Every structure is written in C-alpha cells, then in structure tokens.
Amino acid sequence: MKKRITIKQLAKELNVSISTVSKSLNNSKEISEETKERIRAFAQVHNYKPNPIALRLKNKRSQNIGVIIPEIAHDFFSTVVSGIEQVAYKKGYNITVCFTNEQFDREVQNMDTLANTNIDGFIIAVSKETQQLKDYHHLREAINQGFPIVLFDRIIDSIYCDKVISDDAMAAYNATNNLIETGYRRIALLTIPDYISIGQLRTQGYKNALNDAGYPIDDNLILPVEDIHSDQIIIDFFDTRIFDAVVCANEFLALKVIRQAHDRGIKIPQQLGIIGFADGFLARNSYPKLTAIDQHPYEMGKTAAKLLIKTIERNNEEKPFRTEIIKTTLIERETTRKL
C-alpha cells in the first residue's frame, strides 16, 4: 500500500502554496485549469485523500476534538484551551491542540492534518494572516465535508457556524469610560490592525466612549501595532504624541507602555493611566500591577467545547447557529486612578 502524502508535502513537491493545492482539489475558480489538472494528477499518483470524512462510517464518533489557536505564549489562549479540555474530559473526549503562529498556510495544514486523524470537529481562533487574506476556503471545505466548527475570539461573519466571543466593543467602551471618569483627558489606543475582527470592535468601543463623553477623536492617538515584539513603534509614539492615558489591546502592549513610562520618569497612575485587555499572568504580576479587562477565557473555552460536543452528539443535524457572548469584567489595580 502506498504511503499517503500530506497537503504540505504536495505543496512542496509542486512548488506551490498549501492554499493553491487545497483550492485546486476543491475545483476553485481562482485556479487555472492547467494548474488544477497538474495538482490533481500528482495527488492521485501519491494517494492523497482530501476528504477523510468520506472514509468514516456515518454517525460514528472518534471522541477526538481538534483545537487550533494562533499561539500559546499568551495566557488568554492557553486558558481557553484549559476550559475546552475540562469540558471535553468530563464528556469523554480527547483534544489535540495545534498552533498556527498567526500563519494562514499553517492553519490550512493543521486542519488537514487533524481531519486525517479522524476527529469529530474543530474549535478554532483563526490566524491574523487568515483574516488579512480573507481566505476562508478551508473552513468552508471542512463544513461542507460535515465537520462541525466552533470559532472563538476571532470570528468570521461569513462562516456559518457556532461562535464564542467576548463583548469586545463594550469592554473597550467601559475601559475608556473608566479613564474619562477618573480624570484623564487625552486617551490613546494601542490596538491591533482592523483586519482582525477584535481590533475593529475594540477601536469602535473606544471611539464610542469618547463620543458619548463629548471628547474629540484624535486619529493620531490611535496606533495599530502589527508587530507586538517591536519596541520602536512604542518609543516613537511616546516621542511624538501627548497623552495621559492608554487603552491597550493586549497585555504585551500594556507592559511595553509601562516600561516606557518607567524609562521616562512618568508616574503611573498619576501622570499616565493604563488599561490592558486580558487579565493574564503578566497583568497580575507587572509593576505596577495592571488594571485589566478580564475576558474570562476559561469560560470561553468551556462554552466553545459545550457547543461543539452538543452538535457532535446530535450527529451534526441542522440547527440554528449560536453566537455566545462572554461578558468581560474590568479589574482595577495600580495603573489607574480610583473613582
């Protein structure tokens, strides 16, 4: 028997992207007929099977769930996985976790690999690159094959499946409003690019709070940060803007702001107020301790697992899709003034 080849190996052998292989095998109009024929022929010769669900008996379950997340370094995602595992274990399911490192091709490859291990469904937070490219064919392909999917945190409106999200816009609104009520006047926003769904929502919540308070919106005080590992963009922001408070889209950005304040002799919270999204280890142990928005990731993971398992055990029968919204909590600590 010939050894089955993976989609990554196919792409490498043909010197094309994983996306091109996947689209060709699914007869996408985006790919030329010549390319599709070449890829199909190569896949057939090398025994590639893109539809593993067809190999399973209908209604037979493996009790395995595939979980795909952008990265594990952030407390948020690791805590979501803990919530998923807690529910899965109680229900007799195993989970397999894969990381995309924010890359589209790795997301496609991970889904292909997990599908070939005979899983029952996916729980996914899509990568930054997937949302940037707006290429969701692999998600639609999996749904068309019969795999139930639950998207969490970063979701896609045009993908019809169950979803679990935070109230991101309201969370940013509440954070900004807290800063306004405690006397800050020029409030900046360090956020993630708007092509990421949560980036849009957090920016909108911030703007709405300023509007409702009668504060002008200064676009120069809104900084989308593409690479959170770069310090220079934060340094330049401090050098060129005047502000007395910052809402940060994650705790990594918040810690960089705290560091800049320390280096410049800016007193926190007297001269600079800081609030960050995600109440993780870094937020709880920074100096000073960070006022943070708790997104309750453990509850998010539990909710995602319950939704997926319910669909699996109903044999994926048609039902209305649900979007569960997890309410956030503002945890006041040392980086903001008190009311």
Side-chain angles (χ1 to χ4, degrees), residues 126 131 151-157 163-165 197-198 323:
V126 295
Q131 291 199 304
L151 296 178
F152 76 91
D153 188 48
R154 304 176 187 178
I155 64 169
I156 301 155
D157 290 338
K163 295 159 188 169
V164 186
I165 58 173
S197 57
I198 57 175
T323 297

Side-chain angles (χ1 to χ4, degrees), residues 167 171 279 292-296 326-332:
D167 57 345
D279 184 37
I293 297 161
D294 187 352
Q295 298 170 266
H296 304 291
I326 308 297
K327 291 187 177 180
T328 57
T329 306
L330 183 64
I331 310 296
E332 294 186 71

Side-chain angles (χ1 to χ4, degrees), residues 9 14 36 49 51 54 68 113 118 132 150 155 175 186 190 210 243 256 302:
Q9 291 168 326
L14 291 163
K36 285 191 282 192
K49 305 291 184 186
N51 294 312
I68 300 175
T113 300
N118 200 27
Q132 185 176 25
V150 175
I155 64 169
R186 287 187 58 79
L190 297 191
L210 293 179
F243 52 92
K256 289 180 182 296
K302 288 174 61 178

Side-chain angles (χ1 to χ4, degrees), residues 89-113:
Y89 177 78
K90 284 188 174 181
K91 294 284 189 178
Y93 286 77
N94 298 309
I95 68 169
T96 301
V97 183
C98 295
F99 316 113
T100 64
N101 286 338
E102 301 287 12
Q103 296 172 17
F104 169 77
D105 279 356
R106 289 192 65 168
E107 188 169 292
V108 174
Q109 179 191 341
N110 286 339
M111 289 193 71
D112 180 74
T113 300

Side-chain angles (χ1 to χ4, degrees), residues 151-215:
L151 296 178
F152 76 91
D153 188 48
R154 304 176 187 178
I155 64 169
I156 301 155
D157 290 338
S158 61
I159 297 296
Y160 304 119
C161 65
D162 290 326
K163 295 159 188 169
V164 186
I165 58 173
S166 299
D167 57 345
D168 283 286
M170 182 57 71
Y173 182 100
N174 290 338
T176 307
N177 195 54
N178 177 275
L179 293 168
I180 292 168
E181 290 182 346
T182 51
Y184 298 100
R185 290 294 174 261
R186 287 187 58 79
I187 302 167
L189 174 68
L190 297 191
T191 186
I192 51 181
D194 273 358
Y195 61 76
I196 303 171
S197 57
I198 57 175
Q200 296 177 17
L201 291 168
R202 293 171 187 178
T203 300
Q204 192 58 55
Y206 159 85
K207 288 182 175 180
N208 288 346
L210 293 179
N211 274 328
D212 287 354
Y215 282 31

